[in-house]
Amino acid sequence: MILAKNLKKNFTNLPVLHGVDLEVKKAEIISITGRSGAGKTTLLQLLGTLDRPSNPEAELWIDGQNVYKLKDKALSEFRNQNIGFIFQFHELLPEFTALENICIPGFIAGRKQKEVEKRAMELLDFLHLKDRAQHKPDALSGGEQQRISVARALINKPKVVLADEPSGNLDSQNAQELHQLFFDLREAFGQTFVIITHNETLAKSCDRKIIMHDGRIVE
């Protein structure tokens, strides 16, 4: 599902990634761990096409598409339709309800309102949050907000879900529930997950644990 070849990234004169190669199979859940500054988030940004590598010869294939060959507009469309993002801080828009927050990527994709809202309610039902659809973020608990962000990541039925410290802002119980949710989602929808985490329990429970150090995959 994901094949990255020779990903390098420099910021000014500082090299952050040193030619990373990575392959992730369809419906696989992998964790990426390592100390702060190891390059984990930079790698995730490249995998998510939020940034481009510093070396033009780098390749990133997602579901058979060499995405770095796409122009910016086409790349944005590909990202919207094929990649979902979950962040440590939920990034929900405070003026919108849970339902509206979930629907935003679907509206950006140009899908019909009824279709998007129907899908959003199905996800809310799956996440046991159907009764919270009309609540705004400040009326939701931290765990509920994070599950809303998960639903938002899934609204366009992406093939790949990228998560950056998704449970880093949650207490232990909500973190454990979120971790189980990833496996439930994989079983229900067949998504591929790449998860950056410092949570050792989550890291070890994934199909594979990858360790980064100084901009390289070392294990």
Side-chain angles (χ1 to χ4, degrees):
M1 179 56 69
I2 301 173
L3 179 61
K5 297 181 179 181
N6 195 28
L7 299 188
K8 297 180 181 180
K9 188 64 181 179
N10 301 329
F11 292 105
T12 313
N13 294 321
L14 177 66
V16 178
L17 293 182
H18 302 272
V20 171
D21 296 324
L22 179 66
E23 184 172 2
V24 187
K25 298 177 182 178
K26 179 177 173 56
E28 189 176 20
I29 299 179
I30 73 164
S31 64
I32 300 177
T33 68
R35 294 181 179 179
S36 297
K40 304 183 300 297
T41 295
T42 300
L43 175 59
L44 203 74
Q45 290 172 339
L46 294 185
L47 296 178
T49 73
L50 296 172
D51 199 359
R52 290 181 182 266
S54 299
N55 55 322
E57 70 274 14
E59 296 181 21
L60 175 62
W61 297 78
I62 298 178
D63 197 29
Q65 172 74 59
N66 188 355
V67 297
Y68 289 154
K69 295 295 185 183
L70 299 174
K71 301 294 185 182
D72 287 347
K73 183 178 179 181
L75 184 60
S76 294
E77 292 174 353
F78 180 91
R79 181 190 312 122
N80 175 259
Q81 295 168 14
N82 293 280
I83 306 174
F85 296 91
I86 304 169
F87 303 100
Q88 177 177 354
F89 300 101
H90 325 299
E91 308 294 345
L92 300 178
L93 298 178
E95 65 271 27
F96 294 136
T97 65
L99 178 65
E100 291 167 338
N101 267 285
I102 295 168
C103 288
I104 289 171
F107 295 150
I108 291 173
R111 295 164 56 196
K112 294 181 179 179
Q113 181 176 350
K114 287 186 178 179
E115 173 195 347
V116 175
E117 290 181 347
K118 181 176 182 291
R119 167 68 173 167
M121 289 305 297
E122 289 172 351
L123 289 167
L124 282 166
D125 189 33
F126 182 86
L127 298 171
H128 309 294
L129 288 173
K130 202 169 184 178
D131 61 335
R132 311 295 276 169
Q134 299 305 320
H135 289 69
K136 292 185 177 179
D138 62 1
L140 302 171
S141 70
E144 289 172 335
Q145 289 184 50
Q146 190 60 301
R147 282 186 283 162
I148 294 300
S149 74
V150 170
R152 180 184 58 194
L154 298 175
I155 189 66
N156 286 338
K157 301 181 180 179
K159 297 178 176 69
V160 173
V161 178
L162 306 178
D164 192 353
E165 294 288 358
S167 58
N169 202 35
L170 300 177
D171 60 44
S172 57
Q173 180 177 346
N174 277 308
Q176 184 176 356
E177 291 175 357
L178 181 66
H179 300 166
Q180 183 57 49
L181 176 60
F182 293 143
F183 294 93
D184 294 342
L185 289 167
R186 189 256 299 270
E187 294 303 316
F189 302 116
Q191 267 106 3
T192 301
F193 283 82
V194 179
I195 305 170
I196 289 177
T197 184
H198 283 107
N199 186 298
E200 195 62 23
T201 301
L202 172 59
K204 289 181 177 179
S205 66
C206 292
D207 299 326
R208 276 193 295 147
K209 174 184 172 182
I210 290 171
I211 300 174
M212 291 191 69
H213 180 72
D214 290 342
R216 294 181 173 87
I217 290 176
V218 295
E219 182 178 330

